[in-house]
Amino acid sequence: MRYTLLLQYPEMSAEELGPEALAEGMRAFDVYAKALDEAGVLRSAEVLHPSTATTTVRVRDGQLVVQDGPFADTREQLGGTFVIEVDDLDAAIAWAQQAPSVGWGAVEVRPVATRFADGAWQGASPVQLP
């Protein structure tokens, strides 16, 4: 079963973190990603630019609305994702609790319903028709 681990935590700049904390964080995530990869469960990992680089796009009343910055104004922001393929939710939680950011933020574990691969949608639809 595929799960996406959504890493959410307070954003801090490199200056706010300081060089030692930044280097330690990068090292911790490198170790984590390599452990997932060596276990054969890692399918992808993405580190996102800060939310200040976000552009949010909507259509309201038929008009395109483009907003600089994230949609939600919250203390925690989505900082990155790991897509893993494991046997069950318990295994996904076991990996999520090892994410370096779990100590200062949240890791949302969400099952993947469908994915686009090899030119087609694969998996079960997340929406069931009546």
Side-chain angles (χ1 to χ4, degrees), residues 8 16-17 36 45 54 74 81 115 117 123 126:
Q8 300 164 348
E16 291 170 318
L17 283 170
L36 289 165
T54 300
T74 63
T81 64
R115 64 188 178 95

Side-chain angles (χ1 to χ4, degrees), residues 1-5 84 86-97 108-111:
M1 177 122 195
R2 244 178 223 259
Y3 292 88
T4 299
L5 309 180
I84 61 174
V86 293
D87 291 336
D88 53 32
L89 178 59
D90 290 336
I93 291 170
W95 281 110
Q97 76 182 20
E108 181 180 337
V109 178
R110 189 176 298 185

Side-chain angles (χ1 to χ4, degrees), residues 33-91:
K34 286 178 179 172
L36 289 165
D37 192 46
E38 288 172 11
V41 300
L42 183 63
R43 297 300 173 258
S44 74
E46 309 286 338
V47 176
L48 303 175
H49 278 282
S51 63
T52 55
T54 300
T55 301
T56 301
V57 178
R58 297 185 198 87
V59 174
R60 296 292 180 257
D61 299 320
Q63 298 295 314
L64 175 65
V65 178
V66 178
Q67 170 188 329
D68 290 335
F71 172 71
D73 187 20
T74 63
R75 192 175 72 80
E76 293 183 341
Q77 297 293 333
L78 179 62
T81 64
F82 285 85
V83 177
I84 61 174
E85 195 161 336
V86 293
D87 291 336
D88 53 32
L89 178 59
D90 290 336

Side-chain angles (χ1 to χ4, degrees), residues 94-109:
W95 281 110
Q97 76 182 20
Q98 295 178 53
S101 59
V102 78
W104 66 83
V107 177
E108 181 180 337
V109 178

